[in-house]
Amino acid sequence: MLCALFAAGAMTLLAAPLASARERTPPARWTPALEAEAARLETQLAKHKPARGGALHVRLAFGAEADLDLYVTDPRAETIYFANERAAAGGRLLADARCDSPSPRIEEVVFAAPLPGSYRVGVDYMLYRAKCGEQPAVVAYVLAIDTPAGRRFERGLARRGLFDAQRVAITLPE
């Protein structure tokens, strides 16, 4: 009888769906501290000179004791990030910041002569406990995107363990 109850309980546990990282990570909510951090990061990014000559330049700034990663996917569906620093279409990763880098941490991807078409900008907040120690559940970040049409800023919140594959979409005309 006890074996049957144990087996039934084990089957229930095995049948229960595993919680995804999204379910385990608290929802990202703006707080006054995160708002202040985003404003500070945007001020830092505004000091950088805008891209020249029709370039596409994407910067990701973050300041918390965390390691966010910038991903930019070009119109040919090739993604530039820390493990693929150059794309056949001419884009390249200029800077990859880590949790031990000085704050503000800024990652940069540039396309000197970008192809026309759609680009996707993503932000990843992977867990690097061995390198970074205990990381906050939510981190504020700012994207500065320079296109031939001008500069724009996007503020966001990264949730620990989650990848936002398309935080921003950019379309460059022919």
Short mmCIF file of all heavy atoms in Angstrom, two decimals, residues 37 40-45 47-48 60-64 97-98 101-107:
data_model
loop_
_atom_site.label_atom_id
_atom_site.label_comp_id
_atom_site.label_asym_id
_atom_site.label_seq_id
_atom_site.Cartn_x
_atom_site.Cartn_y
_atom_site.Cartn_z
N GLU A 37 18.32 55.09 -11.62
CA GLU A 37 19.43 54.41 -12.29
C GLU A 37 19.32 54.56 -13.80
O GLU A 37 20.31 54.86 -14.48
CB GLU A 37 19.45 52.93 -11.90
CG GLU A 37 20.52 52.12 -12.59
CD GLU A 37 21.94 52.46 -12.17
OE1 GLU A 37 22.16 53.34 -11.30
OE2 GLU A 37 22.87 51.86 -12.74
N ARG A 40 20.32 58.05 -14.82
CA ARG A 40 21.78 58.20 -14.74
C ARG A 40 22.45 57.55 -15.96
O ARG A 40 23.35 58.13 -16.57
CB ARG A 40 22.29 57.56 -13.44
CG ARG A 40 23.78 57.74 -13.21
CD ARG A 40 24.24 57.00 -11.95
NE ARG A 40 24.30 55.56 -12.14
CZ ARG A 40 25.28 54.91 -12.75
NH1 ARG A 40 26.29 55.57 -13.27
NH2 ARG A 40 25.27 53.60 -12.83
N LEU A 41 21.99 56.37 -16.32
CA LEU A 41 22.56 55.67 -17.47
C LEU A 41 22.31 56.44 -18.77
O LEU A 41 23.20 56.54 -19.62
CB LEU A 41 21.99 54.26 -17.57
CG LEU A 41 22.37 53.30 -16.44
CD1 LEU A 41 21.51 52.04 -16.50
CD2 LEU A 41 23.85 52.97 -16.47
N GLU A 42 21.10 56.99 -18.92
CA GLU A 42 20.79 57.75 -20.13
C GLU A 42 21.67 59.00 -20.23
O GLU A 42 22.15 59.35 -21.32
CB GLU A 42 19.31 58.12 -20.16
CG GLU A 42 18.86 58.66 -21.48
CD GLU A 42 17.35 58.79 -21.60
OE1 GLU A 42 16.63 57.86 -21.19
OE2 GLU A 42 16.91 59.84 -22.11
N THR A 43 21.91 59.64 -19.10
CA THR A 43 22.80 60.81 -19.08
C THR A 43 24.20 60.42 -19.53
O THR A 43 24.85 61.14 -20.30
CB THR A 43 22.83 61.43 -17.67
OG1 THR A 43 21.51 61.86 -17.34
CG2 THR A 43 23.79 62.60 -17.60
N GLN A 44 24.69 59.26 -19.06
CA GLN A 44 26.01 58.78 -19.46
C GLN A 44 26.06 58.50 -20.97
O GLN A 44 27.02 58.86 -21.64
CB GLN A 44 26.39 57.52 -18.68
CG GLN A 44 26.66 57.77 -17.22
CD GLN A 44 27.90 58.62 -17.01
OE1 GLN A 44 28.90 58.46 -17.70
NE2 GLN A 44 27.83 59.55 -16.08
N LEU A 45 25.02 57.85 -21.49
CA LEU A 45 24.99 57.53 -22.92
C LEU A 45 24.88 58.79 -23.78
O LEU A 45 25.42 58.83 -24.89
CB LEU A 45 23.83 56.58 -23.24
CG LEU A 45 24.04 55.13 -22.83
CD1 LEU A 45 22.77 54.32 -23.07
CD2 LEU A 45 25.21 54.51 -23.58
N LYS A 47 26.36 61.43 -23.46
CA LYS A 47 27.69 62.04 -23.62
C LYS A 47 28.45 61.46 -24.80
O LYS A 47 29.41 62.07 -25.26
CB LYS A 47 28.50 61.84 -22.33
CG LYS A 47 27.94 62.59 -21.15
CD LYS A 47 28.75 62.28 -19.90
CE LYS A 47 28.15 62.99 -18.69
NZ LYS A 47 28.90 62.66 -17.46
N HIS A 48 28.06 60.29 -25.28
CA HIS A 48 28.74 59.68 -26.43
C HIS A 48 28.35 60.41 -27.71
O HIS A 48 27.19 60.79 -27.89
CB HIS A 48 28.36 58.19 -26.55
CG HIS A 48 28.95 57.34 -25.49
ND1 HIS A 48 30.07 56.58 -25.69
CD2 HIS A 48 28.59 57.13 -24.20
CE1 HIS A 48 30.37 55.94 -24.57
NE2 HIS A 48 29.48 56.26 -23.65
N LEU A 60 24.31 49.49 -25.15
CA LEU A 60 23.54 49.03 -24.00
C LEU A 60 24.30 49.46 -22.76
O LEU A 60 25.49 49.11 -22.61
CB LEU A 60 23.41 47.50 -24.01
CG LEU A 60 22.94 46.82 -22.72
CD1 LEU A 60 21.50 47.20 -22.41
CD2 LEU A 60 23.10 45.32 -22.81
N ALA A 61 23.66 50.22 -21.87
CA ALA A 61 24.29 50.65 -20.62
C ALA A 61 23.53 50.06 -19.44
O ALA A 61 22.30 50.06 -19.42
CB ALA A 61 24.31 52.17 -20.53
N PHE A 62 24.29 49.55 -18.48
CA PHE A 62 23.71 49.04 -17.24
C PHE A 62 24.71 49.28 -16.13
O PHE A 62 25.90 49.44 -16.38
CB PHE A 62 23.33 47.57 -17.36
CG PHE A 62 24.44 46.66 -17.80
CD1 PHE A 62 25.14 45.89 -16.88
CD2 PHE A 62 24.81 46.57 -19.14
CE1 PHE A 62 26.17 45.06 -17.29
CE2 PHE A 62 25.83 45.73 -19.55
CZ PHE A 62 26.52 44.98 -18.61
N GLY A 63 24.25 49.32 -14.91
CA GLY A 63 25.15 49.68 -13.83
C GLY A 63 25.15 48.74 -12.66
O GLY A 63 26.05 48.77 -11.84
N ALA A 64 24.16 47.90 -12.53
CA ALA A 64 24.07 47.02 -11.37
C ALA A 64 25.15 45.95 -11.43
O ALA A 64 25.78 45.73 -12.46
CB ALA A 64 22.69 46.36 -11.32
N ALA A 97 30.87 44.41 -21.92
CA ALA A 97 31.09 44.71 -20.50
C ALA A 97 30.63 43.53 -19.64
O ALA A 97 29.71 42.80 -20.01
CB ALA A 97 30.31 45.96 -20.11
N ARG A 98 31.30 43.36 -18.53
CA ARG A 98 30.95 42.28 -17.59
C ARG A 98 30.71 42.89 -16.22
O ARG A 98 30.96 44.06 -15.99
CB ARG A 98 32.07 41.26 -17.56
CG ARG A 98 32.24 40.58 -18.90
CD ARG A 98 33.23 39.44 -18.82
NE ARG A 98 33.26 38.72 -20.08
CZ ARG A 98 34.11 38.99 -21.06
NH1 ARG A 98 34.98 39.95 -20.94
NH2 ARG A 98 34.08 38.29 -22.18
N SER A 101 33.39 44.97 -14.79
CA SER A 101 33.78 46.19 -15.52
C SER A 101 33.34 47.40 -14.72
O SER A 101 32.38 47.34 -13.97
CB SER A 101 33.11 46.23 -16.90
OG SER A 101 33.46 45.11 -17.67
N PRO A 102 34.04 48.53 -14.91
CA PRO A 102 33.62 49.74 -14.19
C PRO A 102 32.22 50.19 -14.62
O PRO A 102 31.81 49.98 -15.76
CB PRO A 102 34.67 50.79 -14.56
CG PRO A 102 35.57 50.17 -15.56
CD PRO A 102 35.19 48.74 -15.75
N SER A 103 31.52 50.82 -13.71
CA SER A 103 30.16 51.30 -13.99
C SER A 103 30.25 52.73 -14.52
O SER A 103 31.11 53.49 -14.08
CB SER A 103 29.35 51.27 -12.71
OG SER A 103 28.02 51.62 -12.96
N PRO A 104 29.42 53.13 -15.47
CA PRO A 104 28.40 52.31 -16.11
C PRO A 104 29.02 51.34 -17.11
O PRO A 104 29.98 51.67 -17.79
CB PRO A 104 27.50 53.32 -16.81
CG PRO A 104 28.42 54.44 -17.16
CD PRO A 104 29.44 54.48 -16.03
N ARG A 105 28.45 50.18 -17.17
CA ARG A 105 28.91 49.16 -18.11
C ARG A 105 28.23 49.42 -19.45
O ARG A 105 27.01 49.56 -19.49
CB ARG A 105 28.58 47.78 -17.58
CG ARG A 105 29.34 47.47 -16.30
CD ARG A 105 28.72 46.31 -15.55
NE ARG A 105 29.42 46.09 -14.31
CZ ARG A 105 29.11 46.71 -13.17
NH1 ARG A 105 28.12 47.57 -13.12
NH2 ARG A 105 29.80 46.48 -12.08
N ILE A 106 29.02 49.51 -20.52
CA ILE A 106 28.45 49.82 -21.83
C ILE A 106 28.93 48.80 -22.84
O ILE A 106 30.14 48.59 -22.99
CB ILE A 106 28.82 51.25 -22.29
CG1 ILE A 106 28.26 52.27 -21.28
CG2 ILE A 106 28.30 51.51 -23.70
CD1 ILE A 106 28.64 53.70 -21.56
N GLU A 107 27.98 48.16 -23.51
CA GLU A 107 28.28 47.25 -24.62
C GLU A 107 27.91 47.98 -25.90
O GLU A 107 26.95 48.75 -25.93
CB GLU A 107 27.48 45.96 -24.48
CG GLU A 107 27.83 45.20 -23.22
CD GLU A 107 27.54 43.73 -23.27
OE1 GLU A 107 26.91 43.26 -24.25
OE2 GLU A 107 27.96 43.03 -22.33
#
